[in-house]
Each structure stands twice: as C-alpha cells, then as structure tokens.
Amino acid sequence: GKHRIVIPCLGHFKEEYEKVSKLYMNNKIQTTRYTLLNFLPRNLFEQFHRVANLYFLFLVVLNWIPLVEAFQKEITMLPLVGVLTIIAVKDGLEDYSRYKMDKQMNNLVTKVYSR
C-alpha cells in the first residue's frame, strides 16, 4: 500500500529531506488575511460590504453633483475617510499580530515519535 517516508531535517539528512519534502504539502500555519500588496484593495473591498460605509459613500458621490450639493465636497468626505482609515489601521494591526503568532507557531520545536 501507501507509505510515507519521514526524514528529520537535521545535519547529514538535510539533502535527503529537501528532495523528499518537495513531494508533499507543508504544514505551515497561515491565518493572515492580507499581504503588503493586497492590503489596501482587499481592505477597501471588505469595508464597502458594510451598509454604513456604502451610505457615506453615496452621500459623498451625491454631494459632487452641483444641483444637490449641500455642503462643501471635502467636508462630506471627512467622516468616510476617517472611518475607513481607523478601521484599516485596526485591521492592519490585528493582521500583523496574527502574522507574529503564526511565525511563533511555525517555529515551535516539536517532538517526533520513534519506535
């Protein structure tokens, strides 16, 4: 039947480990949602799934129409930009703490059972 070879990643076994380990999936833990490249677009995408943010965006767009303009255009944008910034900073800090925790978990020393 099927069997799996387990080779320790130590000393003189390192070359053999690298050959065999390419055949299998790794067991790294990754709970982060963002990378540096996708943080801004993905975060904005997630934030505009909230009804309140869509409402404020609607008010900003509506205020850019000269016939409907109630306030100065910049003043209408302040609440939306403020909320989006605060939530983005919070999400970024949470994701960074998840990244540090993942790194800590992935670098734990484990014991291997041997008969």
Side-chain angles (χ1 to χ4, degrees):
K2 290 185 173 186
H3 65 282
R4 181 169 178 174
I5 301 169
V6 179
I7 300 169
C9 181
L10 302 170
H12 60 279
F13 293 114
K14 190 154 182 90
E15 291 175 15
E16 192 175 351
Y17 170 78
E18 288 173 358
K19 287 181 197 173
V20 174
S21 66
K22 291 178 184 175
L23 303 173
Y24 301 104
M25 296 282 295
N26 66 14
N27 62 349
K28 272 188 165 181
I29 295 172
Q30 183 178 2
T31 58
T32 57
R33 287 189 285 176
Y34 307 111
T35 64
L36 290 176
L37 295 176
N38 75 359
F39 176 74
L40 191 61
R42 188 165 181 188
N43 188 267
L44 287 175
F45 178 76
E46 289 176 5
Q47 286 193 44
F48 282 116
H49 273 77
R50 296 183 179 124
V51 178
N53 291 345
L54 285 175
Y55 172 74
F56 282 111
L57 180 65
F58 174 72
L59 289 179
V60 168
V61 170
L62 195 62
N63 205 35
W64 282 88
I65 300 172
L67 241 52
V68 187
E69 184 178 344
F71 309 106
Q72 292 179 348
K73 296 171 182 142
E74 297 80 16
I75 292 177
T76 309
M77 292 173 58
L78 284 177
L80 179 64
V81 171
V83 167
L84 293 178
T85 304
I86 290 170
I87 294 173
V89 168
K90 178 192 69 86
D91 288 345
L93 291 174
E94 285 177 357
D95 205 56
Y96 181 68
S97 68
R98 277 195 295 271
Y99 166 76
K100 288 191 326 186
M101 190 67 92
D102 291 347
K103 193 172 180 180
Q104 182 182 10
M105 291 297 291
N106 288 328
N107 291 321
L108 284 176
V109 177
T110 59
K111 293 182 179 182
V112 178
Y113 174 75
S114 176
R115 289 188 208 193

